[in-house]
């Protein structure tokens, strides 16, 4: 069955997360996703709070910027969450927005090399391995977690371009696709990811795909969706975004699921007037219609 999520945009103040997380938990949504956008809410601390405030909903973070975070620290934080809230944590890592990485002095000359080294190290540490490595960016000397997750932990990679998507297939457990992917784009991404998996000789289970879907509902939904697509430079790309009632949204979610998405995360527009109402709509009205 396709998992349905909603996203808490980091443009909202962090004190609003508690109510929204509890709504997601109570309405039956499968997942609530968070962003670690510079220089707004931090992903791990927000996820920890959301997990503590809820009982069942899975909390995803997409994405943690690899240049900003030492991999051992990310592994420690991730393992702690997985131990305290088993089965409810989904973490993705990515290149980070390069301008933001430059602002804090961590912009990598080769983001792809960094992401490869980082993902391999993070997965190894979370799987209980003891690692010594001397890569271009990731250096570890006899490092192992005292408290790794009891049953391992999946690591997702966020990607847009073909090189990163192929890398995700090679080294990650899943991929996070942003709102610029249409159903046809998801199919193409799945094809490239599988190329990477094949090249790496991987046959270790299903590679999970999470995709964001810009969503608007209510009397001004179409206008808000148009503004959002224009603001993000996505106007004119067919198959992006949805505006309408629960049935319309659910039908669009199904198109993404048919294209290969395992989880569809409804992304409210930046000018969504009622973020709490959006989560109620997603959980109470859309979730029962998604198969």
């Amino acid at each position: 069955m396709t998992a349905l999520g909603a996203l808490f945009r980091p443009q909202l103040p962090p004190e609003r997360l508690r109510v929204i997380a509890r709504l997601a938990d109570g309405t039956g949504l499968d997942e609530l996703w968070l962003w670690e956008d510079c220089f707004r809410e931090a992903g791990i601390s927000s996820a920890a709070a959301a997990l503590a405030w809820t009982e069942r909903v899975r909390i995803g973070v997409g994405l943690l910027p690899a240049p900003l975070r030492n991999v051992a620290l990310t592994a420690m934080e991730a393992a702690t969450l997985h131990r305290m809230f088993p089965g409810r944590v989904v973490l993705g890592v990515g290149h980070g927005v390069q301008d933001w990485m430059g602002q804090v002095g961590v912009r990598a000359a080769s983001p792809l090399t960094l992401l490869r080294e980082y993902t391999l190290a993070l997965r190894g540490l979370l799987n209980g391995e003891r690692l010594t490595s001397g890569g271009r960016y990731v250096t570890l000397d006899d490092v192992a977690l005292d408290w790794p997750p009891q049953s391992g932990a999946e690591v997702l990679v966020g990607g847009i371009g073909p090189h990163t998507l192929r890398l995700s297939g090679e080294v990650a457990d899943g991929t996070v696709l942003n709102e610029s992917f249409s159903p046809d784009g998801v199919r193409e991404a799945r094809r490239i990811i599988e190329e990477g998996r094949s090249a790496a000789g991987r046959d270790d289970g299903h590679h999970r795909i999470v995709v964001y879907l810009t969503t608007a509902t209510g009397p001004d939904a179409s206008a808000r969706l148009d503004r959002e697509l224009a603001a993000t430079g996505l106007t004119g790309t067919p198959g992006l975004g949805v505006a309408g009632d629960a049935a319309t949204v659910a039908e669009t979610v199904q198109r993404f699921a048919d294209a290969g998405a395992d989880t569809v995360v409804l992304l409210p527009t930046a000018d969504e007037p009622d973020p709490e109402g959006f989560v109620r709509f997603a959980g109470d009205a859309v979730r029962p219609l998604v198969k």
Side-chain angles (χ1 to χ4, degrees):
M1 184 173 71
T2 306
L4 186 71
L7 191 131
F8 176 86
R9 295 188 71 122
Q11 290 85 355
L12 295 173
E15 57 267 25
R16 294 185 72 172
L17 176 59
R18 182 173 185 168
V19 170
I20 288 176
R22 287 182 168 175
L23 281 170
D25 204 42
T27 58
L29 273 178
D30 301 298
E31 301 179 3
L32 178 68
W33 279 73
L34 312 170
W35 283 348
E36 184 165 85
D37 270 4
C38 298
F39 299 96
R40 299 182 174 111
E41 290 100 338
I44 294 293
S45 54
S46 296
L51 287 159
W53 289 327
T54 55
E55 297 294 333
R56 144 215 79 78
V57 69
R58 285 162 61 90
I59 303 296
V61 182
L63 303 160
L64 299 170
L68 196 61
R69 295 175 155 275
N70 183 281
V71 71
L73 177 61
T74 300
M76 291 160 58
E77 292 179 321
T80 300
L81 292 182
H82 281 287
R83 297 279 299 212
M84 292 193 296
F85 306 100
R88 295 183 55 212
V89 182
V90 188
L91 298 180
V93 296
H95 298 302
V97 176
Q98 295 305 296
D99 287 346
W100 291 341
M101 299 302 100
Q103 281 183 268
V104 293
V106 295
R107 184 168 183 164
S110 177
L112 204 66
T113 301
L114 168 58
L115 192 58
R116 176 185 294 277
E117 293 178 2
Y118 196 99
T119 305
L120 288 170
L122 182 58
R123 288 183 72 225
L125 290 170
L126 291 176
N127 284 319
E129 298 175 20
R130 181 172 297 275
L131 299 181
T132 295
S133 64
R136 181 175 177 183
Y137 295 103
V138 175
T139 300
L140 299 170
D141 183 7
D142 194 33
V143 176
L145 297 176
D146 281 8
W147 298 104
Q150 291 174 309
S151 56
E154 63 179 7
V155 175
L156 280 60
V157 159
I160 299 174
H163 294 300
T164 305
L165 294 174
R166 193 169 289 108
L167 172 66
S168 183
E170 293 176 19
V171 302
D173 303 297
T175 303
V176 180
L177 305 177
N178 73 6
E179 66 275 17
S180 69
F181 285 81
S182 66
D184 285 344
V186 171
R187 289 187 182 90
E188 178 62 8
R190 173 71 78 182
R191 184 190 67 78
I192 295 170
I193 290 165
E194 291 303 323
E195 282 184 355
R197 285 175 57 80
S198 177
R202 295 188 62 182
D203 58 358
D204 51 352
H206 180 70
H207 185 99
R208 181 180 181 196
I209 288 185
V210 177
V211 63
Y212 298 139
L213 171 62
T214 306
T215 305
T217 191
D220 61 345
S222 294
R224 286 193 290 109
L225 178 62
D226 289 344
R227 288 196 298 269
E228 184 77 12
L229 294 179
T232 53
L234 299 175
T235 300
T237 304
L240 296 184
V242 58
D245 60 12
T248 302
V249 174
E251 288 171 4
T252 304
V253 168
Q254 188 60 53
R255 286 198 287 274
F256 278 86
D258 292 343
D262 300 289
T263 298
V264 179
V265 180
L266 304 186
L267 169 63
T269 60
D271 60 356
E272 167 58 55
D274 182 8
E276 292 82 4
F278 182 86
V279 171
R280 290 191 192 94
F281 166 76
D284 287 339
V286 180
R287 171 67 271 182
L289 302 179
V290 173
K291 306 303 181 185

